[in-house]
Amino acid sequence: MTRFLTAIGVLLGTAAAGAAQQPAEAIAGRRFDLIVIEATPGGVAMAVRAAREGLDVLLTNHTPHLGGMPTNGLGVWDTLYDGPRSSLFDELRAGIVDHYRRTYGDDSPEFRAALPGARRLSSPRGFFEPHVAEQAIDRMVAAEPKITVLKPYYVAEVERHGRLLRSVTLREYHGSGSVRVAADMFADGSYEGDLLAAARVPYRVGREARQEFDEPHAGVVFAEDAGQENDQAKFPRDAAEGRLNLRPFRITTGSIDPASTGAGDTAIQAFNFRICLTSDPARRILPAEPAGYRREDFLGKRKLPPAESIHHTCSWNEAKLPGANHAYADGDWPTREAITRRHLDYALGWMYFVQNDQSVPEALREKNRRVGLPTDEFTDNDHVPYEMYVREARRLVGRSVFTEHDGLLAPSLGRAPVHADSIAATEWPMDSHECTTRHGPSIGRDGKVLLTEETRPGQVSYRCLLSPEVDNLLVPVCLSTTHIGWGTIRLEPTWMNIAESAGYAAALARRRGQTPAAIDVDELQRTLARRHVMISFFNDIDVASDAPWVAAAEYFGAKGFFADYNVRADEPLKPATAKVWASGFEQLRAGKLDANALARMVAEAEGSDTPADSSPTRETRGAVLQRMFSQLP
């Protein structure tokens, strides 16, 4: 078999696949309402939403294939919430599920695997194959006539005048072409933060020190795993015991080694290729020995997964090289190519070793050879993903910073802290893969944490998407977070939620003739709530519902009207809570609201002995929310 090409080098001479695009010369000198750099799911969600709201959008991508990691082997939705969260994520997920229903039937194992599985297990969250995800994403983009696609091009230069970006120069990947295009607004949808870096706005790479934001798990940390992968799902206990409407997980971070210094550094969590594997002999090929193969790198490796997630296919999440990726974030593309090549050769070398090396028992080698690369995936790239899993790179230094505390229960509340300008919700456990090869003196690998027990659904401040120095740039992917806070942000469903909100923000800015930094965020939030975009997590809300109280609860959830994650819309409102809500509503209308202070007052009122009036004349909580919402502009 032809030697495997690297995920980046394959772009040479490869015909563009998927969604149609304009030739570069056809867009040279054009002006767009919005330019979105990189067609990750977040970039796609922002571009599609903005286009549906009437904006002329240019969407670029540095490979010929749109879709980021779902197109490149991720294979599962990293979310512990099974319900609707934003229209475009829900649409994409439904499109993928419908493919398996139409192709294999309602009673097929493929269709069942594409749906969220039983809540008693954390793993069955909805599986899919990369080519199915790519087709669904391509359809979403191609359906929008106001989106122009340019690929494979990357951002090379940015023209910036004071607080505004004016234009970008895009360069052909491994080609000689370049094109300059202008826009009123710009968005960085990349995993690397390449646009924000080219725009010369402040950003971070690496880990904050523990004391900078008083984050318990920041910096150099060694922690143990608690729970076992083969146990019943059990973390967090609130989810396992039904108090939190999330899917439980089977492992969590336990105690921290006292040797953990919490020192900050430039280390980022490990990357790997999410190699797609199949056990179907009709479409399975085994890798040849990769270039630079050294068997000593794999001594002790023994097995491959059974590849049975969906359609006899799975996403392999191993072959990480902690520390080997540290130069990637700020590296130029030749540097990134070298790092990418090393990771790909390592993954293929691992496979080759366990399938062929004499140190592996013959029976196990034979079992490993039942798994190979699927011939129907990555057909123009020797059946390996086009991109490596870039888990963390640059992060914007924004007008607000999402920290570990924003994903933890707030003091005296049954929920995470409230952000009055929230435009999305988080729910995945804050986590990090190992950042270096160091081990603690007693327990743990450096930087590896999974805060399943501690994490609670949080709110994402709109200011986390905004640079303090530039007013017409939105950063919905590499937004402003700490390394630990990043762990609950860096998931495709969450990014699509954030980015769709950013698309609405761009549309509002265009309608009002403003920059994204100048818009009325309260007006944006009311729009998001009415358009079924989650900005506040609740146990008892379906954001896709048209019930008027749902939009009201989403909006007021960001303003501190709830001390926990329960709306209880059909219950009568306690007089003590009604008094606090009325006061909070007046403060809100006067522009003097402290959302977290109000949430604490609500907690006190809810915990008081004053009974709720259950007479027919007393309004329900949902009715009060709906009435207040109707009185807003």
Side-chain angles (χ1 to χ4, degrees):
M1 192 178 87
T2 305
R3 178 188 176 276
F4 286 94
L5 300 171
T6 69
I8 301 300
V10 73
L11 299 179
L12 277 165
T14 302
Q21 69 165 347
Q22 291 284 337
E25 56 270 21
I27 67 169
R30 276 187 59 183
R31 185 173 192 87
F32 294 86
D33 295 318
L34 171 67
I35 294 176
V36 179
I37 300 298
E38 288 297 308
T40 61
V44 167
M46 184 170 182
V48 170
R49 175 49 61 200
R52 290 185 184 179
E53 297 301 303
L55 276 65
D56 288 318
V57 180
L58 174 65
L59 176 64
T60 75
N61 205 55
H62 78 282
T63 81
H65 298 267
L66 308 185
M69 283 311 301
T71 298
N72 284 277
L74 185 60
V76 65
W77 293 120
D78 283 331
T79 176
L80 300 183
Y81 178 63
D82 295 332
R85 65 187 310 150
S86 65
S87 302
L88 293 179
F89 169 68
D90 301 338
E91 181 180 320
L92 176 59
R93 182 170 56 173
I96 290 173
V97 168
D98 189 58
H99 163 85
Y100 289 103
R101 182 192 60 78
R102 289 183 290 103
T103 304
Y104 301 102
D106 291 341
D107 297 325
S108 66
E110 289 82 2
F111 176 59
R112 289 194 297 272
L115 295 168
R119 271 292 181 94
R120 64 185 180 85
L121 295 174
S122 62
S123 296
R125 302 188 298 270
F127 296 105
F128 52 87
E129 296 162 280
H131 74 275
V132 176
E134 182 173 6
Q135 291 166 3
I137 288 169
D138 283 345
R139 285 194 298 270
M140 288 181 70
V141 174
E144 303 304 325
K146 297 187 84 61
I147 294 181
T148 299
V149 176
L150 181 65
K151 55 186 180 178
Y153 278 74
Y154 67 95
V155 60
E157 297 176 12
V158 171
E159 179 190 6
R160 173 179 162 185
H161 290 175
R163 301 189 63 84
L164 297 177
L165 306 186
R166 298 295 191 184
S167 67
V168 294
T169 298
L170 303 163
R171 192 160 295 151
E172 186 179 11
Y173 204 98
H174 282 295
S176 59
S178 65
V179 59
R180 179 183 171 277
V181 283
D184 295 325
M185 293 171 283
F186 298 80
D188 192 333
S190 71
Y191 294 129
E192 294 85 0
D194 282 347
L195 176 60
L196 67 89
R200 304 179 304 282
V201 301
Y203 63 86
R204 293 188 182 215
V205 176
R207 300 184 282 187
E208 290 77 11
R210 184 186 300 155
Q211 66 269 23
E212 183 170 357
F213 294 97
D214 193 27
E215 296 176 297
H217 295 88
V220 175
V221 60
F222 305 101
E224 67 173 348
D225 288 341
Q228 299 296 323
E229 279 289 352
N230 59 356
D231 282 359
Q232 185 129 332
K234 54 190 177 184
F235 304 108
R237 296 310 310 172
D238 280 353
E241 296 171 2
R243 293 182 296 275
L244 192 60
N245 186 20
L246 295 178
R247 181 178 294 277
F249 214 75
R250 289 171 287 190
I251 54 177
T252 191
T253 291
S255 59
I256 298 176
D257 193 309
S260 303
T261 66
D265 57 24
T266 58
I268 56 177
Q269 58 184 301
F271 297 174
N272 64 322
F273 270 82
R274 291 298 291 257
I275 297 290
C276 196
L277 302 175
T278 184
S279 60
D280 183 354
R283 55 189 185 93
R284 177 189 66 204
I285 57 174
L286 305 184
E289 179 181 315
Y293 173 76
R294 295 175 357 122
R295 67 178 295 272
E296 55 266 33
D297 292 339
F298 308 101
L299 295 176
K301 309 299 184 189
R302 284 293 179 266
K303 62 182 181 178
L304 295 172
E308 292 295 334
S309 295
I310 189 167
H311 192 209
H312 307 292
T313 302
C314 81
S315 171
W316 185 38
N317 192 22
E318 292 292 341
K320 297 187 286 288
L321 285 170
N325 60 335
H326 288 178
Y328 183 93
D330 273 329
D332 57 17
W333 280 109
T335 298
R336 291 175 176 177
E337 287 177 12
I339 294 170
T340 296
R341 181 178 294 108
R342 183 180 177 191
H343 281 76
L344 178 58
D345 286 345
Y346 183 72
L348 297 175
W350 183 322
M351 290 184 66
Y352 181 80
F353 176 87
V354 299
Q355 291 176 338
N356 296 280
D357 196 88
Q358 296 298 311
S359 67
V360 180
E362 182 178 358
L364 189 51
R365 272 182 277 146
E366 176 58 31
K367 184 177 181 179
N368 289 330
R369 284 195 290 268
R370 296 173 193 168
V371 175
L373 304 173
T375 57
D376 57 347
E377 295 292 351
F378 319 114
T379 56
D380 56 351
N381 198 36
D382 274 348
H383 314 292
V384 294
Y386 314 107
E387 298 181 47
M388 180 169 59
Y389 194 176
V390 177
R391 287 190 174 88
E392 179 182 13
R394 302 180 179 104
R395 302 187 307 277
L396 175 72
V397 174
R399 303 185 185 196
S400 181
V401 182
F402 188 103
T403 74
E404 179 175 354
H405 301 289
D406 291 309
L408 303 176
L409 288 175
S412 73
L413 296 181
R415 58 165 305 114
V418 181
H419 290 287
D421 63 341
S422 174
I423 47 87
T426 66
E427 40 77 26
W428 184 260
M430 287 181 283
D431 74 339
S432 172
H433 291 254
E434 52 268 47
C435 296
T436 75
T437 57
R438 297 192 301 263
H439 285 71
S442 61
I443 53 173
R445 288 170 280 177
D446 181 20
K448 186 178 187 301
V449 295
L450 180 60
L451 306 182
T452 319
E453 182 58 48
E454 297 95 329
T455 305
R456 291 296 183 274
Q459 296 182 349
V460 180
S461 164
Y462 180 63
R463 291 167 294 152
C464 290
L465 281 63
L466 299 174
S467 165
E469 298 185 358
V470 175
D471 294 334
N472 65 338
L473 169 66
L474 286 160
V475 184
V477 176
C478 290
L479 60 154
S480 180
T481 79
T482 63
H483 165 78
I484 292 296
W486 178 250
T488 191
I489 295 283
R490 65 171 191 88
L491 300 315
E492 308 296 352
T494 304
W495 272 328
M496 291 191 74
N497 184 176
I498 295 168
E500 184 168 5
S501 295
Y504 277 115
L508 177 59
R510 180 176 178 270
R511 273 199 314 275
R512 300 290 185 238
Q514 298 173 316
T515 64
I519 63 170
D520 180 350
V521 181
D522 199 81
E523 181 181 1
L524 171 64
Q525 290 174 301
R526 296 194 299 274
T527 298
L528 297 176
R530 292 181 178 116
R531 299 289 288 273
H532 310 293
V533 177
M534 183 183 290
I535 63 174
S536 306
F537 175 88
F538 287 105
N539 290 318
D540 48 356
I541 275 189
D542 176 354
V543 296
S545 169
D546 288 323
W549 67 266
V550 169
E554 282 292 306
Y555 172 82
F556 287 112
K559 304 300 181 181
F561 283 68
F562 297 90
D564 57 24
Y565 295 113
N566 302 299
V567 176
R568 308 194 309 276
D570 294 331
E571 293 183 12
L573 186 64
K574 292 179 64 170
T577 306
K579 183 177 180 180
V580 174
W581 276 15
S583 174
F585 188 62
E586 291 307 312
Q587 294 173 42
L588 173 64
R589 298 181 74 177
K592 299 179 180 179
L593 178 67
D594 181 332
N596 282 287
L598 178 63
R600 290 191 292 270
M601 293 175 63
V602 170
E604 293 177 7
E606 296 281 86
S608 70
D609 295 332
T610 306
D613 186 347
S614 58
S615 69
T617 59
R618 176 66 63 186
E619 286 183 294
T620 64
R621 295 164 62 91
V624 174
L625 292 168
Q626 183 178 337
R627 174 168 52 77
M628 290 191 298
F629 195 57
S630 69
Q631 295 173 18
L632 296 170

